[in-house]
Amino acid sequence: MTTTLITGGNKGLGRETARRLLAEGHTVWIGARDETRGRQAADELGARFVQLDVTDDASVAAAAATVAEQGGLDVLVNNAGITGTHADPAELTGADALAVLDTNVAGAVRTTTAFLPLLRDSAAPAIINVTSGLGSFAAVHDTDRVESTVVAPLYTASKSALTMLTVQYAKALPGIRVNAADPGYTATDLNGHSGPQTVTEGTDAVVALALQGAGGPTGTFTDRSGTAPF
């Protein structure tokens, strides 16, 4: 049986990913900062809950210890993310940037480092980083795509960094599939539920990567249609 941990798994794309993978027979851990909301989501779905704040080293280490005690891990889904401030780009501060990068990029580094020993014990380990087409040069320059209409310097830069981090981990961690998934413009709390895709459509790429066994691709950037341009 495959065991999967999803950070930020109590709502939106994370929760839907959990629901779909549970239906596929995975044992799913929902990692969430808020214990009340996280436990409620886990109880409603039939998942396991672990308190996990990706910006806190101690919280991440404690979560890894809990998952290790309960049998280990096969798939890590780095889903937790924030948009950050919506201030005028001309007024952004270094602190604004660090807040977004701490969650969206450094958070993935923290969880990867902490859970790596567990993944290395798996027969088919995988890391899936939930990124965005908003971090793709190709997408934001394509006037036929909605990404070209968005101006959000910190969020988009963080997703570019996360996608490149994926490539570097794929090279550095042989034997572990490390891939980036772009959900597409999906209706979630992050965008005020303005996206045209449902959360089910938005989780297609993540779920497909999570269901691949050993020998699947690594170092890829994919969306629900397949390999995406970067």
Side-chain angles (χ1 to χ4, degrees):
M1 181 174 292
T2 300
T3 299
T4 299
L5 168 69
I6 304 166
T7 68
N10 61 294
K11 64 179 182 177
L13 293 168
R15 181 189 174 105
E16 179 65 4
T17 299
R19 184 194 69 79
R20 293 181 67 180
L21 292 179
L22 284 163
E24 294 288 344
H26 283 216
T27 296
V28 175
W29 287 91
I30 286 179
R33 289 181 300 176
D34 187 298
E35 183 169 355
T36 299
R37 294 176 182 176
R39 286 193 183 280
Q40 180 179 353
D43 289 345
E44 290 173 353
L45 293 173
R48 300 179 180 183
F49 168 73
V50 63
Q51 196 282 330
L52 175 56
D53 179 349
V54 300
T55 68
D56 185 303
D57 289 338
S59 174
V60 175
T66 296
V67 174
E69 291 169 0
Q70 296 298 316
L73 187 68
D74 302 293
V75 179
L76 170 63
V77 181
N78 284 314
N79 169 75
I82 61 172
T83 57
T85 180
H86 295 286
D88 186 320
E91 299 175 356
L92 293 174
T93 66
D96 293 334
L98 289 172
V100 175
L101 294 170
D102 194 22
T103 297
N104 297 3
V105 184
V109 173
R110 291 187 184 96
T111 55
T112 298
T113 299
F115 287 95
L116 193 55
L118 282 66
L119 292 169
R120 282 178 165 151
D121 285 338
S122 169
I127 298 170
I128 302 165
N129 294 324
V130 181
T131 184
S132 172
L134 286 169
S136 160
F137 271 51
V140 300
H141 284 294
D142 185 345
T143 56
D144 289 331
R145 294 185 58 140
V146 68
E147 290 91 344
S148 68
T149 68
V150 176
V151 177
L154 302 183
Y155 180 75
T156 57
S158 75
K159 291 304 184 178
S160 287
L162 183 59
T163 304
M164 181 53 68
L165 190 67
T166 300
V167 174
Q168 295 301 310
Y169 273 137
K171 293 181 177 182
L173 303 174
I176 299 178
R177 293 179 292 110
V178 188
N179 294 287
D182 169 21
Y185 191 14
T186 302
T188 67
D189 286 352
L190 284 179
N191 55 41
H193 295 272
S194 61
Q197 289 186 166
T198 66
V199 287
T200 300
E201 292 171 325
T203 55
D204 281 349
V206 179
V207 170
L209 288 168
L211 294 178
Q212 289 176 342
T218 191
T220 67
F221 174 58
T222 65
D223 59 22
R224 63 192 301 254
S225 298
T227 302
F230 185 74

